DNA sequence: CCCTGCCATAAGGACAGCTACTGCCATGAT
DNA sequence: ATCATGGCAGTAGCTGTCCTTATGGCAGGG
């Protein structure tokens, strides 16, 4: 008893003042409607309508019940529209380009949660370098890309940030300062240097250039951060790396913060040429929380 | 599909994070719950939960749907409480004492509507005179009584009012005045008079006494208004009757308003000794609209 | 007085939904 | 590796609800 159809029937009876008309309205036979109404009154334990020869009118209690039944049906209708409106967001694919460390650190947990919230959306990730991300975005081969320190005109969703840290041999002169001492970018870049790029254009050289400084004595230039740490440990020089890239095992190394902290900010941006797809919008909306 | 129980199940799954636990919560087997949830997702055409090995968590769409499902179930719960609260008002009896004309004019239409709104309440009416109403109210033998011009301390529900009208023979001297002329109470009571009471203590004599006047020349005293009209028509005297009591056929009669209008007000009051029953309250509430 | 419109009831049948059981998968412990 | 556990899905069969068809009753209007 008390199927949802019966509540629709109830308000239809109230609207039409007749069981027969209401039955036709909701697509039932007169008999079924009569039984349904009698059943509802029985389960509620109260009479909702008075049956008069020509019409069926609600009782005082019936009026209250009908009013609230409309609320209930309204909520049901709202559910249906919610689902219908959300349908475009349910399926689709998102292609994201990012670079390795960011993917592992910031994106993967978010994407796991996203996959849980939108199981119908397939997310593929590409592991590239930071300037490859930019070209992929411009060509439109991907939907979203992670960029560093995005220009404010692109409305970007910030994923996170990390600090640039100086890494020196433990026995280096600058490394003898107290535990929480800093080192200035200027004095760091004057040292014999191991330039690590991590494959990115944003590295010690570009940071120095932005500050009007140049690296005077680059001993080695390597792509992998870990290679740089080994070289620093062996006393080849000092280096400057993102905090995220720091090794767990720091024996033989001294990690120091910069006097003027420099950070890099990771953000997710859409392609500049076309608006983001419904699926991509869902992801960006989730990240906004 | 989409039974109300299934919506309860839906929110239970969201609350427990597990279909099995939710099934137990709403008193179903795990299998039934699993099928029901699958069925709901099928009919809505969208996935509401992601089934992970240890838990079942809502998708983004699921969260919206669950929220509105709670609204729906809240409305359903509200209906149940409405019915439960109204139950005392559904059955019962009301005994009303009134006097004939009021019953026919004001009370009967109201009681018909009341019977339609509260079919479970039995209303019995007694036809008595106005001072019998008062004694019945005091003894508590009735629930409600119609009284004339009630004292303001009794919170009375006004049913209606009517005017006292002068009735004269068509050829009477005062009756020669223009169509919409009035007659003062003073000059009326000086005429040869037919005193009609309608069985009530409120009549021309009591009205005169209240105004400091006396009837000088009572030719006849009758109980029925209609008897008075016949006597007036034959020229025995003039009379003063409530507007409601006027005959349809007024040939040979002149009906005139009083210069200072006098009215009588009918109101429904409860017994002074005990509070009104739930049924009586329902009636008074309906009349208040 | 019959006819019409509306509601209630009876009997029968169809389908939805529940139960019991089995299988599957992933996790976590031994 | 292996096994135990906990949760979900699938299947077969049955129970019960609810619908349909058909019939009767009741009051009002031509």
């Amino acid at each position: 008893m008390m199927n949802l159809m019966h509540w629709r029937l109830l308000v239809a009876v109230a609207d039409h003042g007749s069981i027969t008309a209401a039955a036709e309205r909701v697509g039932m036979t007169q008999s079924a409607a009569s039984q349904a109404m009698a059943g509802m009154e029985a389960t509620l334990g109260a009479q909702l309508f008075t049956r008069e020869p020509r019409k069926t009118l609600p009782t005082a209690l019936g009026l209250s019940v009908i009013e609230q039944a409309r609320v209930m049906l309204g909520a049901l209708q709202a559910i249906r529209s919610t689902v219908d409106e959300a349908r475009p967001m349910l399926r689709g694919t998102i292609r994201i380009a990012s670079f390795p460390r960011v993917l592992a650190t910031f994106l993967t947990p978010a994407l796991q949660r996203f996959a849980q919230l939108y199981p119908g959306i397939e997310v593929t990730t590409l592991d590239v370098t930071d300037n490859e991300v930019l070209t992929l975005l411009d060509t439109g081969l991907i939907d979203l890309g992670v960029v560093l320190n995005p220009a404010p005109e692109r409305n970007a969703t910030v994923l996170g940030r990390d600090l640039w840290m100086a890494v020196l041999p433990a026995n280096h002169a600058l490394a003898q300062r107290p535990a929480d001492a800093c080192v200035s970018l200027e004095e760091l870049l004057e040292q014999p240097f191991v330039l690590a790029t991590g494959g990115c254009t944003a590295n010690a050289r570009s940071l120095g250039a932005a500050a009007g400084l140049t690296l005077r004595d680059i001993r080695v230039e390597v792509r992998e951060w870990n290679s740089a740490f080994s070289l620093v440990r062996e006393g080849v020089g000092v280096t400057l790396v993102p905090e995220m890239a720091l090794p767990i095992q720091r024996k033989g190394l001294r990690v120091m913060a910069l006097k003027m902290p420099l950070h890099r900010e990771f953000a997710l941006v859409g392609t500049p040429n076309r608006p983001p797809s419904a699926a991509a919008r869902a992801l960006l909306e989730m990240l906004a929380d």
Side-chain angles (χ1 to χ4, degrees), chain A:
Chain A
M1 201 56 236
M2 302 270 254
N3 220 341
L4 277 170
M5 187 59 121
H6 296 156
W7 292 104
R8 283 187 57 201
L9 176 65
L10 181 85
V11 305
V13 170
D15 288 341
H16 288 78
S18 151
I19 292 184
T20 304
E24 190 178 5
R25 174 82 157 69
V26 302
M28 310 170 55
T29 59
Q30 172 270 325
S31 168
S34 175
Q35 293 175 56
M37 294 309 305
M40 292 194 73
E41 289 180 329
T43 53
L44 286 178
Q47 194 169 344
L48 301 178
F49 292 90
T50 53
R51 276 71 159 180
E52 291 175 28
R54 285 309 200 201
K55 50 196 186 296
T56 297
L57 295 176
T59 64
L61 177 59
L63 289 172
S64 308
V65 170
I66 288 156
E67 190 178 347
Q68 286 163 311
R70 288 188 202 276
V71 173
M72 209 181 64
L73 292 176
L76 185 66
Q77 187 56 39
I79 290 178
R80 291 212 65 86
S81 16
T82 298
V83 174
D84 287 344
E85 283 170 18
R87 206 175 300 280
M89 287 205 184
L90 295 182
R91 312 223 128 264
T93 60
I94 308 176
R95 290 153 299 179
I96 303 182
S98 173
F99 22 104
R101 184 59 64 170
V102 174
L103 182 63
T105 311
F106 294 117
L107 224 45
T108 304
L111 292 184
Q112 276 176 349
R113 171 149 178 72
F114 183 73
Q116 198 262 306
L117 285 178
Y118 295 89
I121 299 180
E122 191 179 350
V123 180
T124 61
T125 54
L126 280 72
D127 236 9
V128 294
T129 63
D130 57 351
N131 46 13
E132 283 174 321
V133 168
L134 294 174
T135 60
L136 284 171
L137 279 174
D138 287 338
T139 56
L141 288 174
I142 57 177
D143 299 294
L144 299 173
V146 173
V147 299
L148 283 172
N149 303 325
E153 68 267 15
R154 287 191 161 176
N155 58 350
T157 304
V158 176
L159 294 173
R161 52 175 58 180
D162 70 345
L163 286 170
W164 288 94
M165 302 293 278
V167 180
L168 306 86
N171 56 3
H172 192 278
L174 291 174
Q176 307 316 314
R177 297 184 180 176
D180 53 351
C182 301
V183 59
S184 74
L185 184 63
E186 188 166 8
E187 56 191 347
L188 187 72
L189 299 190
E190 283 172 350
Q191 307 299 319
F193 210 86
V194 176
L195 179 59
T197 62
C200 291
T201 52
N203 53 44
R205 182 185 282 133
S206 67
L207 288 174
L213 305 170
T214 54
L215 286 166
R216 315 248 164 137
D217 184 8
I218 296 178
R219 296 291 169 90
V220 197
E221 177 169 342
V222 295
R223 179 188 171 92
E224 297 296 323
W225 307 111
N226 283 329
S227 310
F229 300 138
S230 304
L231 293 167
V232 171
R233 195 178 277 116
E234 290 174 18
V236 176
V238 303
T239 191
L240 185 67
V241 302
E243 193 177 20
M244 278 183 2
L246 287 174
I248 302 154
Q249 179 59 266
R250 303 188 187 177
K251 200 175 164 196
L253 296 177
R254 172 75 198 273
V255 176
M256 298 177 77
L258 291 180
K259 196 164 286 172
M260 295 272 293
L262 285 174
H263 60 257
R264 56 178 197 172
E265 197 171 65
F266 309 107
L268 207 55
V269 301
T271 59
N273 307 323
R274 56 180 158 83
S277 66
R281 266 185 288 118
L283 175 57
L284 292 174
E285 191 180 332
M286 189 201 81
L287 288 172
D289 300 341

